[in-house]
Amino acid sequence: MTFTCARLLALPTILATLASTAGAQARPPIRQLGAVHASTTDSLGMVNNVRALPGGTLLINDAASRRVLLVDSTFKLISIVADSTSSTANAYGPRSGSLIAFRGDSTLFVDAASLSMLVIDPAGKIGRVMSVPRSQDAMLLAAGGLGTGAYYSNGYLVYRGMPGLRMQMGSSGTPTMPLVADTMAIVRVNLQSRAVDTVGFIKIPKTNTNMSRSDDGKISITIEVNPLPVVDDWVVTSSGDVALIRGKDYHVDWMSPDGTHRSSPKMAFDWKRLSDEQKVALIDSVKAIRDRAAAANPGQGNAMAAAFGAALGMGGAAGGAAPQMVMSFDMRGGPGGPGGPPRSGGAPQIMAPQINYVSPTELPDYQPAFFATSAKADDDGNIWVRTIPTKPAPGGAVYDVINGKGEVVERVQIPENRTIVGFGQGGVVILALREGSTTRLERARVR
């Protein structure tokens, strides 16, 4: 969602301006990321994730263009691994997929629509096709655009689970949204036995969604969000440890490949208290950003409505088919069903969602250390967490580099308007620069 992305990108600047500078803790000094030494020249859409391979080659998941590309260390195109065109033998699929580092130097490409995983060799050739472990988790395995989708580790796929939710349709024909928990499980699936176990739970952003239906059958949606939630994040490190980064007090809970658990001490952070006045100013600033973004892209609301319609099974999905969702839709007692009004003219019209925000009193008293989906694992056993700035500063985002002991050993600032989308061997960092509707990738050094 364009206006949502713009709002989130601007939040760090707002928070840094609002935050007090009192009570700073000792933390490593900020250093700059190493120089950029290569950049893409081809036009890319929305890059969900990348997979760095030996020799500097790179698999790029261009979800907006629905294609997977293999490029060399200078970003010169080697081959198109998967594409959406009919002339390509290996089709990308109708919806976004995700890349997962698999055994050795092979890679899994998850196609949620077909409930399958393509096994790609280092040369970009598809060797075989596997089914996803559980059909209800296909979309989460393919959720690279939401940050961490999934990892392969020691014979397991590790990913964020999702409980099955059942949406009911009332007698008036108005869907009733189920209550969604503010925690989600991190699970492991054994690819041989398909046995599932839970690693732990993380706190996620919670959104309250309500629906109402007018007399003419139109469905209105109201979404209430918290622009500054206290959340957790997670990664699987190169050593195979599952790391749960806790947002409440900024420490890491670990589960080793042998199943043992441990917790590292709280990490130093420059915690900033938000006054009541600052909370009100934050909500007002976020609303202003949303309104400007919506005015610049008036069609975005209709796109959101279509997405809701597809999720509800009311049409609007690519290819005319509704996506497979973990949320099912019970039509019993609703339109066309027993006790409900008849459905006329096909599916009901869904209006553009109305975005509201929680009361300023529901914002946290202390600014969180990070937003959701801010953590990345490098190839050296470290975790990089994109932190929320606590005071105004020039330049790009600053990442805390956390070692295997749960200590912040470095703070690294990347160039402005960039995000880290992956790491490669030998201290390589892959950056994404969003330029309007296109993305440019850059290859830099850690130092």
Side-chain angles (χ1 to χ4, degrees), residues 105 113 119 193 216 279 300 344 353 379 424:
D105 297 327
V119 182
S193 66
D216 59 1
K279 293 178 183 180
Q300 189 65 47
S344 59
D379 283 6

Side-chain angles (χ1 to χ4, degrees), residues 18-20 22 270-276 278-279 364-367:
L18 294 175
S20 167
D270 186 14
W271 296 104
K272 301 300 181 184
R273 186 174 183 87
L274 296 176
S275 66
D276 293 342
Q278 289 172 329
K279 293 178 183 180
D365 291 331
Y366 286 87
Q367 178 179 307

Side-chain angles (χ1 to χ4, degrees), residues 10-273:
L11 267 178
T13 302
I14 298 170
L15 291 166
T17 304
L18 294 175
S20 167
T21 57
Q25 299 179 12
R27 283 164 53 75
I30 297 174
R31 70 167 179 85
Q32 299 300 307
L33 186 71
V36 171
H37 55 88
S39 177
T40 54
T41 56
D42 294 334
S43 176
L44 299 171
M46 179 66 73
V47 176
N48 274 14
N49 58 350
V50 299
R51 160 74 156 131
L53 298 167
T57 57
L58 185 73
L59 283 169
I60 301 173
N61 177 24
D62 185 353
S65 302
R66 293 182 20 235
R67 57 181 182 166
V68 176
L69 308 176
L70 179 66
V71 300
D72 65 16
S73 60
T74 65
F75 289 115
K76 181 180 179 181
L77 180 66
I78 298 175
S79 65
I80 298 175
V81 179
D83 201 352
S84 59
T85 61
S86 58
S87 60
T88 303
N90 300 318
Y92 185 97
R95 295 194 299 278
S96 297
S98 184
L99 299 171
I100 302 172
F102 194 43
R103 295 189 185 101
D105 297 327
S106 62
T107 305
L108 295 177
F109 175 73
V110 182
D111 179 4
S114 64
L115 305 180
S116 63
M117 301 185 294
L118 310 181
V119 182
I120 305 171
D121 69 18
K125 304 298 183 183
I126 297 176
R128 61 192 177 101
V129 179
M130 304 166 54
S131 62
V132 296
R134 302 192 306 172
S135 60
Q136 66 265 38
D137 296 332
M139 290 192 65
L140 295 167
L141 288 171
L146 302 177
T148 302
Y151 291 88
Y152 172 79
S153 177
N154 300 286
Y156 291 86
L157 277 180
V158 186
Y159 56 96
R160 195 184 82 175
M162 174 73 83
L165 301 176
R166 192 167 190 84
M167 182 183 296
Q168 301 292 328
M169 181 70 88
S171 59
S172 64
T174 303
T176 301
M177 296 296 294
L179 294 177
V180 179
D182 61 357
T183 58
M184 288 293 175
I186 304 300
V187 299
R188 301 190 312 168
V189 177
N190 187 300
L191 290 183
Q192 295 299 319
S193 66
R194 302 299 171 109
V196 181
D197 67 298
T198 300
V199 175
F201 292 85
I202 60 169
K203 189 174 180 61
I204 63 171
K206 186 174 182 180
T207 299
N208 297 319
T209 304
N210 294 306
M211 294 187 179
S212 60
R213 185 166 183 156
S214 61
D215 293 340
D216 59 1
K218 296 179 180 178
I219 293 179
S220 299
I221 303 169
T222 302
I223 305 172
E224 184 183 66
V225 298
N226 183 338
L228 192 62
V230 178
V231 296
D232 300 329
D233 209 344
W234 73 283
V235 297
V236 177
T237 69
S238 59
S239 63
D241 286 338
V242 180
L244 310 179
I245 306 105
R246 304 303 186 185
K248 184 176 181 180
D249 59 2
Y250 205 33
H251 81 275
V252 183
D253 291 332
W254 310 82
M255 191 187 83
S256 301
D258 62 5
T260 59
H261 291 257
R262 71 185 190 278
S263 293
S264 51
K266 299 176 184 178
M267 295 173 286
F269 190 77
D270 186 14
W271 296 104
K272 301 300 181 184
R273 186 174 183 87

